[in-house]
Amino acid sequence: MWTVYGPGENLKVVNFTTNQELEVGITLNQEDTLEIDTRLGYKAVKKGDGSNQFFRLSPESVLWPLQRGENQVQIELSNTNESSKVIVHYVERFLAA
């Protein structure tokens, strides 16, 4: 689960470990947030007000999960300031026998 706090534009997150990326063509104001849910079975892109933003994903985007172990990830967000940030919430899942 990724949470992006504005301001910022044109989010791009690349996982070099899996060679996958997601790109969201959106403009976030100072008070805006964007939530990207990449969990298995939950795929969603929503603003903090709950509005669906899935249509803003580029056609090449993949809502990829983090891989077990280390992941090399690059985050790009233009037109930011000191209030802008991207937070990832990650919980490792285990299969039960």
Side-chain angles (χ1 to χ4, degrees):
M1 185 83 150
W2 301 80
T3 305
V4 183
Y5 295 85
E9 296 179 359
N10 302 320
L11 174 71
K12 183 176 181 179
V13 185
V14 180
N15 187 332
F16 291 108
T17 305
T18 62
N19 201 29
Q20 294 175 308
E21 66 180 53
L22 65 89
E23 217 171 333
V24 185
I26 194 166
T27 298
L28 299 173
N29 295 318
Q30 181 81 28
E31 65 282 351
D32 290 335
T33 60
L34 181 70
E35 297 171 350
I36 303 169
D37 192 341
T38 62
R39 294 176 298 165
L40 184 62
Y42 289 94
K43 311 293 187 200
V45 181
K46 296 181 181 179
K47 282 183 83 171
D49 63 7
S51 63
N52 185 355
Q53 302 297 309
F54 202 87
F55 68 96
R56 296 189 184 275
L57 285 170
S58 72
E60 301 80 24
S61 290
V62 176
L63 293 178
W64 43 266
L66 292 171
Q67 296 299 301
R68 177 176 260 173
E70 259 184 56
N71 287 249
Q72 185 179 0
V73 176
Q74 176 179 304
I75 301 169
E76 298 175 19
L77 186 64
S78 58
N79 295 323
T80 61
N81 69 21
E82 63 280 347
S83 298
S84 307
K85 60 184 168 183
V86 178
I87 297 176
V88 63
H89 305 274
Y90 172 75
V91 176
E92 189 169 2
R93 302 206 181 264
F94 298 94
L95 294 175

